[in-house]
Amino acid sequence: MPRNALIARLERYTDLTTGERAAILEAGDGHQRFATGDRLIDENAPNQYLYIVEDGWLHASRDLVSGARQILRLHYPGDLVGTSSIAWARASTTLTALSPVEVTPVPKVALGRLFKAQPRLAALLYAVAAAEDVAMSDRLTSLGRTNAVERLATLLLDMLARLRLSRDGAVDTIDLPLTQSEIGDALGLTSIHVNRTFRTMETRGMIVREGRRVRLPNEAALTAMVGFVDRYETVATDWLPAPEPIAA
Amino acid sequence: MPRNALIARLERYTDLTTGERAAILEAGDGHQRFATGDRLIDENAPNQYLYIVEDGWLHASRDLVSGARQILRLHYPGDLVGTSSIAWARASTTLTALSPVEVTPVPKVALGRLFKAQPRLAALLYAVAAAEDVAMSDRLTSLGRTNAVERLATLLLDMLARLRLSRDGAVDTIDLPLTQSEIGDALGLTSIHVNRTFRTMETRGMIVREGRRVRLPNEAALTAMVGFVDRYETVATDWLPAPEPIAA
DNA sequence: CGCCTGTTTGAGAAGACTCAAAACGGGTGG
DNA sequence: CCACCCGTTTTGAGTCTTCTCAAACAGGCG
């Protein structure tokens, strides 16, 4: 059976039946590759697809009338991205590749078929969407109520948590694919202030930098400081309905 | 058939079958009433319920280690709230009544049954969740990249759009149930700065105030200034699977 | 009538921003 | 192999928005 990052992600939370795995694979419509910096889809462009991120990093962003930009979230392998186009016929965000990216497009109607054929999978996707909603609430809280050092610490902890989802194991170093300007767009800061914040954190011993590589020597202390909670580790599955009989 | 605000909300987007309406009513488990200021659920408290808001306003908030608070979203009649507890066994936000509130509790497992029995309804709920995700992205962008006047203008426009969902018609006045301190918690500002921002907007003719009542005399201009988009008006339903046969 | 919550105003401080420019580093072409 | 270029990072100086602390004011309620 072909590799599919969404299946791997969901199986982290619960075992899927053969029928459920097959349904995900059937929903996919080929593969697409993008180079670093490519845009998968533009804000406001007509769109009938979701994408399963198979490999690489990308970000979802929004442009303002003022010319500023807000990066809304980072996406990693196993994410189902572009869900905003589920609600409308146009994309509400721009998706940009931060590294070479491979995705599996999923037509919206295929998602509809999947909801009908595999209700338990639908419920699981709803639970994952709820978890991501909470992660977004965390970011909103970070931007609304914390200073630059806390925001950057939160971002680094969040990236670490996500990296551990794909590459299991003891990751304590991040190879940043973002420029300081992009980090600023994610945190609601200017690139200049991001730079100064990095230096502040370095001076205080919160981070160690080697080029674009960042290590958190005392992750526990940072986690306590900002009250970071890993929202990706588990998702409740106790309420899901029974899976469809496989013979179906 | 009893009144149910979620049914009314969903029927704004597409007609429901008798079976679908019945499924929503069956999922509900009684009714609960709360007075202004009551908390429906506390952050981190064990929780196995969602709530359909039947009447009244409430807000979802998060408390920080620093003692600050972030209000994440406002909820109105027709909203399905507490979805964060879908993903875990504990609530991730505190829900507080801003007015006398009436809700219909829905056990998580009942939602699971509903997903199985009425896949089209499940898909519609997923679409509504996607729309709310985009609305949250709007707030994130507002906090990250706009100043106090723009944030307050965006909040007022958003409230107006939501009021129009319940009370159809030409609403151009908001009876604010929030104190300036609460508005600050929603916008990432201090109550003092919220007060000054109100005054600034009044001076510039952007708003007219009569006590806690706010009117937007030139909504079009404000909408253009902040690039506000109403995310609640419509939701795409073209991709939904066919409804279940009613005889089932 | 006094109290409590919420609103309004003032004054000074701080965090983050703007503008400007220098230093760095990786890739390209001669 | 070196010089150059361009994007990125770093540093400096001054400004501005928003915050903090403080206190007066207004309105509803017991």
Side-chain angles (χ1 to χ4, degrees), chain B residues 47-75:
Chain B
N47 183 37
Q48 295 295 326
Y49 288 88
L50 310 175
Y51 300 93
I52 297 170
V53 181
E54 300 291 353
D55 197 33
W57 295 32
L58 43 103
H59 73 231
S61 67
R62 181 80 60 79
D63 288 312
L64 286 86
V65 280
S66 64
R69 180 175 70 159
Q70 178 67 44
I71 291 179
L72 300 163
R73 72 202 323 170
L74 299 175
H75 288 295

Side-chain angles (χ1 to χ4, degrees), chain B residues 145 178-181 192 195-196 199 209 212:
Chain B
R145 285 294 184 220
L178 297 168
T179 65
Q180 292 181 0
S181 176
I192 293 162
N195 184 278
R196 294 191 165 120
R199 199 154 35 85
R209 288 195 292 171
R212 276 210 176 171

